[in-house]
């Protein structure tokens, strides 16, 4: 198989349960959503320049990187044809831990039975994204402690909706739960205030580390 890859790089994980740890990133082209705040919209355009990479080429890049955390991102990585085969090949590398950043609209069920099950960071697209109707909450039945549900917050309405989803699906204690502010739209202090008012235990407020270390729009970090 050949996969449409727009970036490969080594950096730190900017968010999630492995924030601050080194990771090797594979970013794929294309997405089925169009979020209002997307910071990688360039990777989703029809005319996006990409490199066709085989399983062997991707696995070799990961192996030679010397980094054991692997993050597959996009775009939407689960839309790549043959992605299951790629995951099996990556999972055969010794000591590798795979994380998939997925937008929450794609069924993850078939990926949870792989020989090496990846960790999933599932977005829940809140009203501010314009994409909430595409969310596939059936995925929550597959959640494990190493998985994450991420809420990207634009405003107070988004905060209230996130609280409703956490309660409705009983997410606390089942997986990592993260609130992340849309850069420049809401002050992080507002998120913390909401968490305090609602007594939201086992919820993390996170800032995207890479946007503080480097320029917010810098690629390859």
């Amino acid at each position: 198989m050949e996969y449409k890859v727009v970036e490969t790089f080594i950096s730190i994980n900017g968010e999630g349960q492995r924030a601050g740890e080194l990771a090797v990133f594979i970013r794929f082209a294309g997405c089925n959503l169009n979020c209002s705040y997307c910071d990688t919209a360039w990777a989703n355009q029809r005319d996006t320049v990409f490199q066709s990479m085989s399983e062997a080429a991707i696995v070799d890049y990961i192996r030679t990187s010397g980094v054991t955390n692997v993050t597959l991102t996009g775009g939407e990585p689960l839309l790549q044809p043959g992605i299951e085969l790629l995951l099996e090949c990556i999972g055969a590398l010794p000591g590798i831990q795979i994380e998939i950043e997925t937008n929450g609209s794609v069924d993850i069920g078939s990926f949870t039975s792989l020989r090496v099950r990846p960790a999933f960071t599932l977005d829940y697209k809140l009203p501010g994204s314009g994409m909430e109707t595409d969310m596939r909450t059936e995925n929550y039945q597959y959640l494990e402690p190493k998985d994450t549900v991420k809420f990207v917050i634009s405003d107070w309405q988004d905060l209230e909706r996130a609280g409703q989803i956490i309660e409705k699906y009983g997410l606390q204690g089942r997986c990592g739960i993260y609130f992340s502010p849309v850069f420049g739209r809401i002050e992080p202090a507002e998120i913390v205030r909401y968490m305090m008012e609602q007594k939201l235990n086992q919820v993390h407020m996170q800032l995207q580390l890479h946007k503080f270390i480097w320029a917010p729009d810098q690629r390859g970090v």
Side-chain angles (χ1 to χ4, degrees), residues 11-16 18-21 25 101 206-211 221:
S11 185
I12 58 165
N13 270 316
E15 52 193 342
R18 296 191 174 275
E21 294 186 22
F25 289 81
E101 296 183 340
Q206 68 175 5
L207 303 176
Q208 294 175 297
L209 293 178
H210 53 288
K211 292 186 177 180
V221 295

Side-chain angles (χ1 to χ4, degrees), residues 29 69 141 159:
N69 286 330
Q141 67 185 296
L159 279 169

Side-chain angles (χ1 to χ4, degrees):
M1 294 292 297
E2 296 286 323
Y3 304 89
K4 296 180 179 180
V5 177
V6 293
E7 279 190 316
T8 59
F9 59 96
I10 299 170
S11 185
I12 58 165
N13 270 316
E15 52 193 342
Q17 296 193 43
R18 296 191 174 275
E21 294 186 22
L22 278 179
V24 54
F25 289 81
I26 311 294
R27 186 184 303 280
F28 298 95
C31 187
N32 58 323
L33 302 184
N34 184 26
C35 297
S36 65
Y37 49 72
C38 183
D39 57 5
T40 55
W42 59 270
N44 306 329
Q45 306 303 314
R46 290 186 177 181
D47 59 352
T48 294
V49 176
F50 62 86
Q51 178 182 4
S52 292
M53 294 184 71
S54 66
E55 292 96 359
I58 293 172
V59 168
D60 188 60
Y61 173 73
I62 293 169
R63 181 181 55 79
T64 58
S65 74
V67 177
T68 56
N69 286 330
V70 178
T71 300
L72 305 185
T73 188
E76 174 47 61
L78 296 184
L79 294 179
Q80 291 288 315
I83 193 69
E84 296 93 340
L85 175 59
L86 177 60
L87 289 167
E88 291 282 15
C89 293
I90 296 173
L93 291 170
I96 288 294
Q97 300 182 85
I98 306 170
E99 177 185 3
I100 298 176
E101 296 183 340
T102 179
N103 63 26
S105 71
V106 181
D107 183 6
I108 68 169
S110 63
F111 302 98
T112 60
S113 58
L114 293 173
R115 183 170 54 86
V116 177
R117 182 194 184 282
F120 292 93
T121 294
L122 286 163
D123 278 7
Y124 183 90
K125 303 298 185 183
L126 296 161
S129 71
M131 296 287 117
E132 186 177 19
T133 57
D134 289 274
M135 292 299 92
R136 189 180 183 91
T137 54
E138 296 90 342
N139 282 331
Y140 297 161
Q141 67 185 296
Y142 305 113
L143 290 173
E144 295 185 359
K146 68 179 180 179
D147 299 323
T148 295
V149 175
K150 182 179 73 175
F151 299 91
V152 179
I153 310 293
S154 297
D155 51 30
W156 198 262
Q157 180 190 11
D158 278 358
L159 279 169
E160 292 181 331
R161 181 62 176 151
Q164 292 167 3
I165 294 299
I166 291 168
E167 181 177 3
K168 179 177 180 179
Y169 294 99
L171 298 181
Q172 286 162 295
R174 295 178 54 205
C175 63
I177 305 171
Y178 287 78
F179 285 177
S180 183
V182 176
F183 199 79
R185 282 199 194 176
I186 187 171
E187 290 298 322
E190 285 293 285
I191 296 177
V192 176
R193 179 162 71 89
Y194 177 81
M195 292 169 63
M196 292 168 62
E197 289 179 359
Q198 300 300 314
K199 305 294 189 292
L200 284 180
N201 297 303
Q202 298 174 301
V203 175
H204 302 78
M205 203 287 288
Q206 68 175 5
L207 303 176
Q208 294 175 297
L209 293 178
H210 53 288
K211 292 186 177 180
F212 290 86
I213 299 172
W214 298 282
D217 58 351
Q218 186 168 333
R219 298 184 189 179
V221 295

